[in-house]
Amino acid sequence: MEPLHLYTVFHLNLAYSSIEEDQRPEVIRNCYWPLLHLAKELGFPFGIEAAASTLETVAVIDPSWIGELKRLINEGPCEFVGSGYSQIIGPLVPAEVNTANLRIGNRVYRDLLGMQPGVALVNEQAYSAGMIQHYLDNGYQGIVMEWDNPSRFHPEWNPEWRYLPQIARGRRGEEIPLLWNKSIAFQKFQRYAHGEMEIDEYLEYLVSHLSGDARAMSLYGNDVEIFDFRPGRFHTEAPIEFNEWERIRLLFKTLMADDRFQSVSPWSVLEWMDHSGAGNRLSLESPESPVPVKKQGKYNITRWAVTGRDDLGVNTICWRIYEILKSSQQASEEDWKELCYLWSSDFRTHISEKRWKDFKTRLSDMETWVCGAGSASGMSKKKPTAPLPTAVHKGKTRRERNYLFVETDDIYLQLNCRRGLAFETLRFTGYGETSLCGTLPHGYFDDIGWGADFYSGHLVLESPGRPKVTDLNPVEPEVLRRDSSIIIRGSVQTELGPVHKEIIVNRGVPRVELNYCLDWSARPVGSLRLGHVALNPEVFDYESLFYSTHNGGKLEERFDLYGVDVDHGLPVSFLVSASSGIGITEGLVRIGDGEKHLRIDVDRTVAAVIGLVTSHRVGKTYFCRVSFSLLEMDDTTKPDPVDSPAEPLRFRMAISPGGAFSSS
């Protein structure tokens, strides 16, 4: 029987959402020092990871801790694992911010520790293929990512691969060595430390992973701030009834005395690439889960995008700041560092009231300063756009009973006035005489499970215990002509307030814009999705059907939909309203087949929405739709925030035709 090689990556995060700033010295004393003392006493080769911003904070409060960490790294036995300046959710932010976060993090690591880490822990284990190039560009030679969720959608993977280093492969062939973290394993460790399991039961769990083949396994890969300290995040947190670090010490001493186990550093496991079963080139993402995240289903990408106290609002402000910095020739490294700090995941989950107010003030200060700098220095909030063509192409509209028809040389659009100006049909010249997207009427699918109307260009709000709210009510549209555009406006009254809708058809440009303004007195709790685009299955070839977008990387990530059922908006539970999503970090989604597709652009500076794709085989045909979420619901959601913005919720998107998808 081969010994089970055990490695750890203890995650340190002083920005932990529910830890108050005045508690940080206590965290260092109760959580961080015991970890270093244990490493020094036992010589156990712990992997220790922290965002550079956490190290900066510790250096101010207790510089001797930084000195001891540095000594344990340089002289042994510890290995430092990196992650960037802030704990940013990479698949939700633009590529330039991810690059800055890793670059600035490396600079701080060198300043404080005198070294640059070779292995990175993927922040919150929220992974996308587009992140690989960022790690490579910033000198990382390996990453740590969870096994459980990626493997769930890759049944072809050999289960033995979870005990060996593999290679994570990007969508364009880029590669980086990969170590596995395991959520079940680190949750077992936490239960043991908290006294919910005794050591015999825990050892029995570890023994179950023994084999006659060489195996390495992550013993722990999560938070340190939960041992001998309670962040106060949940009412169900176990009370501290004994010295938990003493229990951890007993465990490690037991493991070191047991020949069935061997302690190793994370880096040493990467040297196993020549073992049989190691070094497989794996795509961790999938159409069903384009951004896999750690732990159980409630920890999905919507958690940091459109839930929390006001994820949508603060993310949108961050996007506005980013657009200004990107277009400025005067943006400094400190500007980018501050933006990385403001985009930290911890401000988007269980943040305390006091820290939330402090964060909002700091975010507002940067937005005010950057906008002011833009006015003074020539920076602009948005890149200048090319002027619309002059009105040389004719466009016309006509009303026939419940429908409004808009026709130009490039576009044929039919709107349903009885259903809130939902798109009945949308055609673009050059794509034939058949609608590309629009409404699939009740009875279209010969399956009672799909016996409903499926609209495009509409809004749906679902809240717990309340009737559904939509904009699918009768509208008398106003038709305007301005320059080279035809503008259709309408308003729908709802119990929350009016929904104002504007559709712009540009003559001479194959592009239809859709703008929403939700003039509601309060932000609702629930799932708020809009801008739905339902494909016409008679036009797009199912066998080459795909969607593509950016998830924090420089290049688009393409996902093939043939033969798989995808439903990112499927609820996880009564509490968690969605299960996955796409980051749309360049504001672009493509959906279609190998010959043609629709290009959908969303303006992240208006609303930092997340994308949701649905694709199902239905009998001999299929259903495929992309929609956008302004709000979702989970355990981090805080209803009716005290400082809820008075301005209406807004959304802006545009649909245009595209040709064959290119990987260039």
Side-chain angles (χ1 to χ4, degrees):
M1 185 72 66
E2 287 283 331
L4 181 62
H5 292 70
L6 299 172
Y7 58 94
T8 63
V9 180
F10 284 97
H11 169 58
L12 282 61
N13 179 24
L14 271 187
Y16 200 117
S17 57
S18 51
I19 295 177
E20 299 289 359
E21 291 188 19
D22 60 10
Q23 292 179 298
R24 289 173 177 174
E26 182 183 357
V27 172
I28 296 170
R29 182 174 62 253
N30 289 10
C31 306
Y32 293 3
W33 271 115
L35 177 64
L36 298 192
H37 291 326
L38 199 59
K40 181 179 179 180
E41 175 193 350
L42 301 181
F44 203 98
F46 294 143
I48 298 176
E49 177 272 332
S53 56
T54 284
L55 296 186
E56 284 185 332
T57 303
V58 176
V60 172
I61 298 171
D62 189 348
S64 63
W65 188 91
I66 296 292
E68 180 66 4
L69 174 63
K70 184 175 180 180
R71 189 189 69 78
L72 289 171
I73 295 168
N74 293 335
E75 301 176 13
C78 293
E79 175 185 335
F80 187 75
V81 175
S83 60
Y85 180 71
S86 290
Q87 186 172 261
I88 284 178
I89 305 303
L92 289 178
V93 305
E96 290 90 339
V97 174
N98 280 315
T99 294
N101 193 48
L102 292 172
R103 180 183 68 245
I104 296 168
N106 281 342
R107 188 194 75 206
V108 175
Y109 292 146
R110 290 192 297 268
D111 291 345
L112 293 179
L113 301 178
M115 56 81 68
Q116 182 172 314
V119 177
L121 179 70
V122 175
N123 287 332
E124 294 286 10
Q125 304 288 262
Y127 170 92
S128 72
M131 291 298 297
I132 292 178
Q133 193 61 55
H134 294 308
Y135 289 118
L136 294 173
D137 290 346
N138 285 278
Y140 282 101
Q141 302 165 58
I143 59 172
V144 181
M145 175 56 194
E146 190 218 46
W147 160 272
D148 303 85
N149 281 283
S151 65
R152 178 185 174 195
F153 294 103
H154 287 286
E156 74 278 9
W157 288 2
N158 185 337
E160 194 66 23
W161 293 351
R162 60 184 157 161
Y163 300 107
L164 297 165
Q166 307 297 341
I167 296 173
R169 187 174 185 181
R171 307 301 288 188
R172 303 293 185 271
E174 61 275 21
E175 298 176 349
I176 192 167
L178 167 68
L179 283 177
W180 296 116
N181 190 11
K182 278 189 63 63
S183 289
I184 296 297
F186 73 63
Q187 289 171 337
K188 292 279 190 184
F189 185 99
Q190 291 170 350
R191 291 186 179 193
Y192 162 76
H194 291 163
E196 299 175 32
M197 294 177 66
E198 294 305 319
I199 193 166
D200 290 344
E201 183 182 357
Y202 183 72
L203 290 175
E204 184 179 342
Y205 165 73
L206 293 181
V207 167
S208 71
H209 292 275
L210 290 173
S211 170
D213 298 319
R215 285 181 169 183
M217 177 175 162
S218 172
L219 190 70
Y220 192 68
N222 205 45
D223 304 327
V224 170
E225 297 83 7
I226 61 172
F227 304 129
D228 276 353
F229 181 83
R230 294 294 183 267
R233 181 168 164 181
F234 300 113
H235 296 298
T236 56
E237 285 180 338
I240 301 175
E241 298 178 345
F242 37 73
N243 187 318
E244 292 169 351
W245 281 106
E246 185 57 34
R247 284 181 65 87
I248 294 171
R249 176 179 177 273
L250 173 62
L251 172 63
F252 282 120
K253 289 193 70 173
T254 302
L255 293 174
M256 294 174 73
D258 193 327
D259 292 340
R260 294 175 299 178
F261 307 106
Q262 183 173 338
S263 58
V264 296
S265 68
W267 181 264
S268 68
V269 180
L270 290 177
E271 298 173 351
W272 286 26
M273 283 296 185
D274 59 349
H275 282 50
S276 175
N280 294 282
R281 290 165 169 80
L282 306 179
S283 296
L284 278 59
E285 69 286 354
S286 62
E288 305 96 320
S289 181
V291 182
V293 177
K294 68 179 180 181
K295 301 200 284 191
Q296 286 74 18
K298 70 177 182 178
Y299 292 93
N300 65 72
I301 197 66
T302 63
R303 185 176 187 83
W304 304 278
V306 286
T307 63
R309 287 182 180 268
D310 185 15
D311 289 355
L312 178 77
V314 298
N315 287 337
T316 301
I317 293 173
C318 283
W319 274 95
R320 293 171 186 165
I321 295 170
Y322 159 71
E323 290 289 350
I324 296 173
L325 295 184
K326 184 177 69 168
S327 62
S328 169
Q329 300 298 316
Q330 302 178 19
S332 69
E333 191 78 340
E334 288 302 308
D335 293 332
W336 287 102
K337 183 179 180 181
E338 179 69 2
L339 180 57
C340 290
Y341 171 83
L342 295 171
W343 232 315
S344 171
S345 65
D346 294 286
F347 299 123
R348 289 153 174 82
T349 52
H350 292 283
I351 189 169
S352 66
E353 184 70 29
K354 181 179 184 302
R355 288 189 61 204
W356 171 250
K357 291 180 178 179
D358 291 344
F359 165 69
K360 288 295 293 292
T361 297
R362 189 162 171 174
L363 179 66
S364 177
D365 286 348
M366 187 176 191
E367 182 185 28
T368 301
W369 181 86
V370 168
C371 291
S375 300
S377 64
M379 289 191 285
S380 60
K381 288 187 177 182
K382 300 188 68 175
K383 289 183 178 179
T385 56
L388 293 173
T390 55
V392 295
H393 296 270
K394 293 183 178 180
K396 59 183 179 180
T397 63
R398 73 178 190 278
R399 176 74 179 268
E400 294 183 7
R401 291 179 292 182
N402 292 326
Y403 296 101
L404 177 67
F405 297 84
V406 183
E407 295 182 64
T408 72
D409 289 352
D410 305 283
I411 297 166
Y412 177 91
L413 175 63
Q414 181 182 354
L415 301 173
N416 190 336
C417 301
R418 194 165 180 267
R419 290 290 182 262
L421 301 179
F423 293 11
E424 188 73 14
T425 62
L426 174 60
R427 300 200 310 254
F428 292 104
T429 302
Y431 272 53
E433 296 300 314
T434 307
S435 175
L436 300 179
C437 66
T439 298
L440 302 177
H442 175 254
Y444 181 88
F445 296 107
D446 189 18
D447 183 331
I448 192 60
W450 295 84
D453 294 289
F454 295 98
Y455 298 99
S456 292
H458 66 299
L459 170 152
V460 178
L461 167 67
E462 295 187 84
S463 298
R466 300 185 65 85
K468 186 183 298 185
V469 175
T470 77
D471 63 347
L472 296 170
N473 295 323
V475 170
E476 282 303 316
E478 177 185 16
V479 179
L480 306 172
R481 295 175 185 270
R482 181 176 300 163
D483 298 327
S484 58
S485 299
I486 300 173
I487 303 171
I488 301 96
R489 291 176 177 164
S491 295
V492 175
Q493 294 297 323
T494 73
E495 62 182 75
L496 298 175
V499 172
H500 306 295
K501 195 169 185 178
E502 181 181 74
I503 299 165
I504 302 174
V505 178
N506 296 316
R507 291 179 284 177
V509 179
R511 176 183 172 100
V512 175
E513 297 181 19
L514 173 60
N515 296 311
Y516 267 99
C517 175
L518 312 184
D519 196 4
W520 296 348
S521 58
R523 188 190 72 180
V525 173
S527 172
L528 176 55
R529 301 169 186 176
L530 71 178
H532 303 73
V533 177
L535 297 188
N536 183 352
E538 298 170 23
V539 173
F540 294 95
D541 171 50
Y542 180 60
E543 292 189 2
S544 61
L545 199 66
F546 77 95
Y547 72 89
S548 71
T549 190
H550 299 79
N551 292 310
K554 298 177 182 178
L555 301 174
E556 283 182 62
E557 301 176 31
R558 171 175 170 148
F559 299 89
D560 294 323
L561 292 169
Y562 176 66
V564 296
D565 283 343
V566 174
D567 195 345
H568 298 161
L570 184 69
V572 176
S573 65
F574 284 114
L575 179 63
V576 181
S577 60
S579 53
S580 191
I582 50 178
I584 327 177
T585 53
E586 295 298 323
L588 165 67
V589 180
R590 302 181 199 269
I591 190 164
D593 63 24
E595 294 185 356
K596 56 193 173 299
H597 65 262
L598 292 176
R599 173 187 174 123
I600 305 168
D601 292 274
V602 295
D603 190 337
R604 311 304 303 277
T605 66
V606 173
V609 294
I610 195 170
L612 306 172
V613 176
T614 305
S615 180
H616 286 273
R617 188 74 179 178
V618 185
K620 295 182 179 180
T621 184
Y622 67 88
F623 173 77
C624 185
R625 178 175 70 185
V626 62
S627 57
F628 303 93
S629 175
L630 284 170
L631 296 172
E632 295 297 329
M633 187 176 67
D634 66 10
D635 62 292
T636 71
T637 300
K638 303 294 183 190
D640 298 321
V642 175
D643 56 349
S644 180
E647 64 182 56
L649 289 170
R650 299 179 185 273
F651 172 70
R652 181 184 181 194
M653 64 175 282
I655 307 173
S656 56
F661 178 82
S662 172
S663 61
S664 61

